[in-house]
């Protein structure tokens, strides 16, 4: 086994993974209502965009899923989980742009790499 320095593309992918881990684990469990959904989307975007190499974050709380959850509850709120989120994160590391997404797939909030390209 030989050691090698990660490529810029590998480092960019690692950075994207860090952002998703931070986003998911920092905000999971946050109290969520229909009234707070918009402000929570903005708060998550702004918080994650503060991280190094983060070019853009788009967070959408799935209102249809939230409404369905609240309809079955006696409370006016629930807690944020991955099933309510659709997220796109773009990272720019040393001229390499990585785009990642998280969305529900087969009942699971799947995070995946969408694209890797040289910005140059």
């Amino acid at each position: 086994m030989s050691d090698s320095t990660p490529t810029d593309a590998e480092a960019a992918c690692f950075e994207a993974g860090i952002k998703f881990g931070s986003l998911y684990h920092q905000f999971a469990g946050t109290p969520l209502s229909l009234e707070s959904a918009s402000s929570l989307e903005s708060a998550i975007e702004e918080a994650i965009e503060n991280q190094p190499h983060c070019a853009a974050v788009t967070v959408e709380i799935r209102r249809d899923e939230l409404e369905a959850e609240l309809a079955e509850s006696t409370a006016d709120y629930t807690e944020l989980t991955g099933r309510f989120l659709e997220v796109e994160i773009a990272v720019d590391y040393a001229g390499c742009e990585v785009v990642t997404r998280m969305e529900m797939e087969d009942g699971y909030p799947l995070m995946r790499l969408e694209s890797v390209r040289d910005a140059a």
Side-chain angles (χ1 to χ4, degrees):
M1 183 170 135
S2 64
D3 291 339
S4 65
T5 302
T7 66
D8 289 343
E10 291 168 333
C13 290
F14 174 80
E15 287 292 335
I18 293 296
K19 274 96 182 116
F20 260 120
S22 173
L23 182 150
Y24 195 87
H25 294 291
Q26 179 177 349
F27 291 98
T30 300
L32 173 63
S33 69
L34 287 170
E35 293 77 23
S36 69
S38 292
S39 62
L40 186 55
E41 288 167 337
S42 296
I44 294 170
E45 290 170 354
E46 291 175 19
I48 301 306
E49 285 175 348
N50 284 322
Q51 295 184 37
H53 312 293
C54 192
V57 179
T58 304
V59 175
E60 180 182 329
I61 293 176
R62 301 173 64 208
R63 304 303 196 281
D64 55 338
E65 288 293 320
L66 179 55
E67 287 175 352
E69 174 79 13
L70 294 174
E72 296 179 13
S73 175
T74 59
D76 294 335
Y77 72 97
T78 189
E79 63 182 45
L80 182 66
T81 66
R83 76 173 189 261
F84 297 121
L85 292 173
E86 290 187 4
V87 179
E88 182 175 287
I89 298 176
V91 167
D92 186 344
Y93 181 89
C96 183
E97 182 184 78
V98 169
V99 176
T100 57
R101 290 194 55 77
M102 180 179 82
E103 56 194 1
M104 291 300 290
E105 187 171 306
D106 296 327
Y108 183 78
L110 185 65
M111 299 171 199
R112 69 175 174 273
L113 185 61
E114 289 285 306
S115 65
V116 179
R117 67 183 171 110
D118 259 340

